[in-house]
């Protein structure tokens, strides 16, 4: 049993932390103004006054927060994790953030004689609850080996992408590009079918038996048809990830034209007050432009 600090008990973090607790690990979490998850507290999780205290108490500290500035704050803000670290501890960032800043954060943590892994995830709320997340890891093999038993409690497809920090985040950016473009493709296909007078639900059913099938068609296609846009992964967060992709592309001197188009569709959604809806609601941008809602 390990002492695990877990920072970020949101849609993704709460079920991930619960799997670690069910696996026999002792959890240390941070007190909030809002109530901490009852399941975790009933299971024996210990509430700490700060991120620093979490780092002092735990052997391995995991964070999953919305964006790069939040990771910076968790690590280096007042009473941050860095203030509570001692040599030999491991920090694992499972957020989706800038690969460039990840390398900077890792250097600062390594200077404290601690290891750092960037380990962003894919699979959304469904994957977090089912412990079936894809976990993309960057960092030293020895740290990966140490963390693997924890990763195995939270995910199914776990890959050490590279032994340099930032490799996991780079892989996650690639993932988010593919997911966004697949959502766009499914949105266009179902809108086309509906506008042509064909039942999009039956079109989806037919396509799921062929080469066009995908997890996006299966899960998000159903969301589009049933109009169930409660967030599993919010548009605002996917916009953040595509901004990282487009900023990275500029730095690398390459063009990502379809990624830019997907971002513009998310921007349209945001402009119509849909930023907190699930990213499958990208179809709303196309529907707004077409003046046609699929049905």
């Amino acid at each position: 049993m390990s002492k695990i600090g877990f920072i970020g008990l949101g849609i993704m973090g709460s079920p991930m932390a619960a799997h670690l607790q069910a696996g026999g690990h002792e959890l240390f979490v941070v007190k909030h103004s809002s109530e901490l998850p009852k399941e975790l507290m009933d299971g024996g999780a210990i509430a700490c006054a700060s991120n620093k205290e979490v780092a002092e108490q735990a052997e391995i500290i995991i964070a999953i927060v919305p964006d790069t500035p939040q990771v910076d704050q968790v690590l280096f803000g007042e009473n941050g994790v860095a203030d509570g670290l001692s040599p030999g501890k491991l920090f694992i960032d499972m957020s989706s953030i800038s690969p460039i800043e990840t390398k900077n954060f890792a250097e600062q943590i390594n200077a404290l004689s601690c290891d750092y892994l960037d380990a962003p995830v894919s699979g959304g709320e469904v994957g977090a609850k089912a412990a079936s997340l894809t976990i993309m890891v960057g960092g030293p093999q020895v740290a990966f080996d140490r963390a693997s038993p924890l990763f195995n409690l939270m995910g199914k497809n776990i890959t050490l992408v590279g032994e340099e920090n930032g490799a996991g985040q780079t892989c996650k950016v690639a993932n988010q590009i593919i997911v966004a473009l697949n959502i766009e493709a499914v949105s266009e296909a179902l809108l086309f079918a509906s506008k042509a007078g064909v039942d999009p639900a039956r079109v989806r059913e037919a396509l799921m038996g062929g080469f066009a099938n995908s997890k996006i068609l299966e899960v998000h296609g159903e969301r589009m048809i049933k109009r169930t846009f409660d967030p599993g992964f919010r548009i605002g967060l996917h916009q953040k990830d595509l901004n990282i992709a487009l900023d990275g592309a500029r730095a690398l001197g390459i063009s990502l034209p379809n990624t830019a188009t997907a971002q513009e569709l998310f921007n349209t959604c945001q402009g119509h007050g849909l930023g907190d809806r699930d990213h499958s609601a990208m179809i709303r941008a196309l529907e707004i432009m077409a003046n046609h809602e699929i049905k």
Side-chain angles (χ1 to χ4, degrees):
M1 181 180 75
S2 297
K3 294 182 176 181
I4 309 297
F6 206 103
I7 299 167
L9 298 172
I11 289 175
M12 299 290 289
S14 289
M16 291 165 67
H19 292 312
L20 295 176
Q21 189 176 64
H25 298 287
E26 186 176 8
L27 285 186
F28 296 85
V29 298
V30 184
K31 291 179 183 176
H32 291 283
S33 54
S34 57
E35 189 174 341
L36 289 167
K38 185 175 186 300
E39 177 185 3
L40 297 181
M41 304 315 293
D42 288 347
I46 298 170
C48 299
S50 65
N51 295 328
K52 175 184 176 181
E53 185 179 339
V54 168
E56 289 172 339
Q57 297 296 325
E59 304 162 272
I60 299 174
I61 302 93
I62 297 172
I64 181 165
V65 294
D67 202 351
T68 308
Q70 285 76 36
V71 176
D72 191 0
Q73 181 66 27
V74 164
L75 285 171
F76 307 114
E78 184 178 359
N79 290 318
V81 165
D83 292 332
L85 290 175
S86 53
K89 295 193 175 185
L90 169 62
F91 179 79
I92 306 172
D93 179 28
M94 303 190 80
S95 318
S96 296
I97 69 168
S98 163
I100 295 172
E101 287 305 310
T102 291
K103 293 178 183 180
N104 175 44
F105 296 158
E107 288 176 1
Q108 295 181 68
I109 296 303
N110 292 159
L112 300 173
S113 298
C114 295
D115 282 324
Y116 188 110
L117 292 174
D118 49 291
V121 301
S122 179
E125 182 182 9
V126 172
K129 288 182 175 179
S132 61
L133 292 168
T134 290
I135 306 176
M136 301 153 262
V137 188
Q141 180 75 53
V142 64
F144 175 77
D145 292 342
R146 181 181 179 187
S148 288
L150 305 182
F151 292 150
N152 288 329
L153 292 172
M154 297 182 284
K156 296 296 185 187
N157 181 25
I158 301 150
T159 305
L160 180 61
V161 180
E163 290 200 56
E164 290 190 5
N165 286 115
Q169 296 295 352
T170 297
C171 185
K172 179 58 187 289
V173 171
N175 179 86
Q176 295 303 80
I177 292 170
I178 292 170
V179 170
L181 270 57
N182 270 285
I183 293 174
E184 181 182 13
V186 171
S187 297
E188 289 187 11
L190 296 183
L191 177 62
F192 172 79
S194 179
K195 186 68 174 178
V198 180
D199 183 353
R202 294 192 177 185
V203 169
R204 171 181 168 273
E205 182 180 351
L207 295 178
M208 284 175 62
F211 201 55
N213 192 23
S214 68
K215 198 70 174 178
I216 297 297
L217 179 64
E218 177 188 345
V219 177
H220 288 341
E222 183 176 38
R223 285 174 176 264
M224 294 170 190
I225 291 163
K226 292 185 175 180
R227 322 305 289 174
T228 51
F229 297 132
D230 291 340
F233 188 76
R234 297 195 306 274
I235 282 173
L237 289 176
H238 209 146
Q239 280 184 298
K240 176 262 297 183
D241 292 337
L242 294 191
N243 278 336
I244 293 172
L246 294 168
D247 288 345
R250 281 189 288 271
L252 293 169
I254 62 173
S255 176
L256 301 177
N258 291 323
T259 302
T261 298
Q263 184 72 309
E264 284 304 314
L265 293 173
F266 280 143
N267 291 344
T268 298
C269 291
Q270 188 76 253
H272 284 81
L274 299 170
D276 287 331
R277 308 307 284 164
D278 186 78
H279 55 173
S280 57
M282 178 194 281
I283 194 171
R284 290 293 298 123
L286 295 170
E287 290 175 336
I288 289 165
M289 290 186 286
N291 194 29
H292 176 85
E293 185 174 304
I294 68 167
K295 55 185 177 180

